[in-house]
Amino acid sequence: MRTMGKTLLAAAVVIAGSLPVSATTLFSNPFDGERGGSCTFECRDAIGAENFTLTDNSLIETVSFDAYLSNWANPIGMTVNWSLMSDDGAKPGSVLASGTAAPTHQKRGQVPDNFTHVTFTLDIVDTLLGAGEYWLTLAVDTPMADHAVYWARTRSGDMINSRSMDGGATWDQRYARSWGGFVFSVDGQSGVAPAAAAAAVPLPAALPMLGLGVGVLAAAGARRRRRRD
């Protein structure tokens, strides 16, 4: 029984080591009270882009951005086309990962001119990136009327951002204005080795594995007890 107890403890430690770690903010252009926005998403169906820096190997799990919505606009049914791109000399380069997601949203409050401040969060495909410069691109696909969604501005950015008016074929490097940039964050896990990320076992898969291991060990213990009897 003592041996079985040690084996069970070892199995629990192995499974616990594979459980997911809480996500942290890897990069952020924070909201700083700036009440302006840009019709990046709605003006002629443009794609908005913001640059960000990773200081270590990172597993990106979610991205968030702030926007101003006309009070009559309903975010239900909204989807966002996103991509993570390499850096090509202060503009987006090649696509590293992309997809479409239905964001969750949290209302932050009302602002002048009948707009609502909202934070949108996208649960994207987990993407492992090394330290370096990258771009996040966002394009809103929504049943709402034109000019209903405005990407919130911040003065905390580096004034390097871009947009594409032709589906990502070309990028406007002159889009940087007098403000710092747009409000967004990239979240996940930092310091993740490529091998560890590939071998990670998600929680839903880890629990059945633990149950199976316990069952096998219990059966083996029962057989040993029958032999002694």
Side-chain angles (χ1 to χ4, degrees), residues 11-222:
V13 169
V14 170
I15 297 298
S18 67
L19 298 182
V21 179
S22 298
T24 60
T25 298
L26 303 171
F27 184 91
S28 176
N29 264 3
F31 176 72
D32 57 4
E34 171 69 24
R35 292 299 186 183
S38 170
C39 62
T40 302
F41 301 133
E42 296 293 335
C43 293
R44 292 182 285 175
D45 298 321
I47 303 173
E50 264 286 8
N51 67 322
F52 65 94
T53 303
L54 297 177
T55 59
D56 200 349
N57 292 337
S58 301
L59 186 66
I60 298 177
E61 300 170 327
T62 62
V63 296
S64 301
F65 65 95
D66 283 22
Y68 296 117
L69 274 66
S70 298
N71 282 347
W72 41 262
N74 187 348
I76 302 301
M78 170 178 164
T79 58
V80 178
N81 299 317
W82 61 271
S83 70
L84 300 174
M85 304 183 69
S86 63
D87 178 70
D88 183 21
K91 63 181 176 64
S94 58
V95 175
L96 304 175
S98 63
T100 301
T104 60
H105 66 278
Q106 180 179 0
K107 293 184 178 180
R108 298 295 187 182
Q110 298 299 117
V111 295
D113 299 322
N114 295 320
F115 279 84
T116 303
H117 180 192
V118 179
T119 297
F120 292 99
T121 300
L122 307 176
D123 186 5
I124 69 171
V125 176
D126 289 358
T127 304
L128 183 67
L129 298 176
E133 300 288 331
Y134 299 96
W135 287 79
L136 168 68
T137 76
L138 301 170
V140 172
D141 183 11
T142 171
M144 295 181 287
D146 287 346
H147 308 291
V149 184
Y150 293 79
W151 198 350
R153 298 198 299 253
T154 177
R155 297 190 182 279
S156 301
D158 59 6
M159 297 180 65
I160 300 175
N161 45 72
S162 186
R163 71 175 176 181
S164 175
M165 313 295 269
D166 53 13
T170 58
W171 293 93
D172 180 6
Q173 291 178 271
R174 297 173 298 175
Y175 192 54
R177 304 290 179 85
S178 59
W179 62 82
F182 297 103
V183 180
F184 77 102
S185 68
V186 176
D187 302 285
Q189 301 175 37
S190 180
V192 180
V201 181
L203 179 59
L207 292 180
M209 288 171 58
L210 177 59
L212 177 61
V214 170
V216 170
L217 293 171

